[in-house]
């Protein structure tokens, strides 16, 4: 199983920036098809923020387009989420996610990192 560990969360003022990192381990034995970032605010369901595929194709939620950028290193060791122009509504626990290919499908989640944007 792939293990994911997030870091980089914290408290920032409106308009500020944060960069989240997600370190993947155990992937020597497991292929990764897509990785992504999800978030969950209190009382809300977990929602997709951004994903990046093995071909580097990216997908973003409408609410973060133009402000957030997802990227990864070549070896799938680390996935990043650069968050700019942060808003109070971006406050949530951010989770890293990895999914395997159809031939050996799995879903892995990190433990989450808190992002708080003050107004």
């Amino acid at each position: 199983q792939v293990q994911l560990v997030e870091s980089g969360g914290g408290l920032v003022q409106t308009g500020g920036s944060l960069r989240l990192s997600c370190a993947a381990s155990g992937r020597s034995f497991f292929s990764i098809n897509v990785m992504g970032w999800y978030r969950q605010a209190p009382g809300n369901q977990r929602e997709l923020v951004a994903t990046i595929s093995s071909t580097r194709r990216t997908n973003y939620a409408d609410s973060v387009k133009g402000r957030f950028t997802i990227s990864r290193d070549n070896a799938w060791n680390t996935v990043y989420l650069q968050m700019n122009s942060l808003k109070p509504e971006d406050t949530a626990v951010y989770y890293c996610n990895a999914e395997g290919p159809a031939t050996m499908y799995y879903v892995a989640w990190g433990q989450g990192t808190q992002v708080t944007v003050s107004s």
Side-chain angles (χ1 to χ4, degrees):
Q1 185 76 12
V2 172
Q3 290 84 42
L4 305 174
V5 178
E6 303 99 332
S7 62
L11 174 63
V12 65
Q13 291 185 335
T14 297
S17 298
L18 282 174
R19 189 193 197 200
L20 305 183
S21 299
C22 174
S25 61
R27 65 160 302 281
S28 298
F29 304 99
F30 295 91
S31 297
I32 295 176
N33 185 47
V34 62
M35 290 188 72
W37 289 93
Y38 291 70
R39 67 187 181 187
Q40 187 168 17
N44 290 355
Q45 291 186 334
R46 191 172 297 187
E47 62 178 6
L48 180 146
V49 176
T51 60
I52 185 166
S53 74
S54 56
T55 59
R56 297 184 184 273
R57 182 175 182 176
T58 58
N59 179 52
Y60 295 93
D62 288 342
S63 59
V64 306
K65 283 180 180 177
R67 300 189 297 123
F68 291 10
T69 302
I70 189 170
S71 62
R72 67 172 180 87
D73 64 9
N74 288 333
W76 274 120
N77 290 325
T78 308
V79 173
Y80 305 95
L81 185 68
Q82 179 66 43
M83 305 186 295
N84 299 328
S85 302
L86 283 162
K87 306 174 181 180
E89 50 263 45
D90 295 318
T91 295
V93 178
Y94 283 70
Y95 296 91
C96 182
N97 164 277
E99 297 182 18
T103 53
M104 192 171 63
Y105 187 73
Y106 67 86
V107 177
W109 292 95
Q111 82 288 351
T113 185
Q114 177 69 47
V115 172
T116 303
V117 184
S118 63
S119 57

